[in-house]
Amino acid sequence: VVWIGDMHPAASSVQRLFGAHPVVPKSLDHVRDHTPPDRWMNDIPTYTCWWLKLQRDWYRYTGDREYLARQTEYVRAVLPLLLSCVNEDGTDNVSFRFIDWPSSDDPAAQAEGVRALFKLALESAAQILRIAGGAQDGERIVACERAAAAIAAAPPVRSQNKQAAAL
């Protein structure tokens, strides 16, 4: 099993130590290929968010537009699931809140971190579609940007958790 939430620090380390190593895109593809777009990666909502952020970050690091273009079909397919979790007023209705184990017993940290990750994921999806998608993605890009802006306009109560604050 590839735990996509653990891949963010792992991918960053791999990039800095070994460069554009193929283990990163192979791992990202493995999780994508084993997760229907109407389900959360590893059954955790924020892990799908991490996958989107990792895809954007991998493109920023490698500049591999061909690889990014191969992700657009899945990005398009997963957007309804992500967008369904963001209310018009910027609040969310994510049922399972998980950022990391140290903050798992802190509801305020979980709320803050989940909202931040959803914002990052929606911004990443919009950027992916803008870079590698087609003309048909204009409405999807606007929907992502609108939801991300709504989240930003309605920030949660700040927790004292460093991980959540960092997000």
Side-chain angles (χ1 to χ4, degrees):
V1 173
V2 175
W3 289 99
I4 206 70
D6 295 335
M7 270 206 60
H8 188 263
S12 297
S13 297
V14 167
Q15 291 167 7
R16 281 154 186 84
L17 293 171
F18 305 108
H21 196 282
V23 71
V24 174
K26 284 181 181 180
S27 297
L28 292 169
D29 290 351
H30 176 82
V31 175
R32 180 203 61 214
D33 294 344
H34 289 86
T35 308
D38 62 344
R39 296 205 38 216
W40 299 117
M41 292 184 171
N42 303 125
D43 294 322
I44 301 172
T46 53
Y47 281 23
T48 298
C49 295
W50 281 119
W51 184 86
L52 287 160
K53 184 176 182 321
L54 280 158
Q55 289 294 343
R56 183 199 60 188
D57 292 352
W58 186 251
Y59 171 75
R60 284 181 171 176
Y61 180 75
T62 65
D64 189 344
R65 186 182 294 255
E66 185 178 312
Y67 175 76
L68 190 68
R70 291 194 304 269
Q71 309 313 312
T72 58
E73 182 180 334
Y74 190 87
V75 171
R76 290 177 187 126
V78 79
L79 280 180
L81 183 61
L82 259 70
L83 291 168
S84 74
C85 292
V86 181
N87 302 318
E88 285 187 34
D89 66 357
T91 59
D92 69 86
N93 57 29
V94 176
S95 59
F96 178 55
R97 297 176 180 283
F98 182 79
I99 299 300
D100 60 9
W101 289 111
S103 63
S104 63
D105 62 348
D106 184 345
Q110 292 294 338
E112 185 177 20
V114 165
R115 291 169 55 78
L117 274 172
F118 268 78
K119 182 178 180 294
L120 287 169
L122 291 162
E123 291 169 344
S124 296
Q127 291 171 6
I128 290 166
L129 294 175
R130 187 173 283 113
I131 293 165
Q136 75 273 18
D137 290 317
E139 288 182 25
R140 289 181 188 94
I141 292 167
V142 168
C144 289
E145 291 171 342
R146 190 172 289 144
I151 293 170
V157 174
R158 299 287 179 213
S159 72
Q160 298 300 313
N161 182 279
K162 290 180 183 181
Q163 294 89 328
L167 288 169

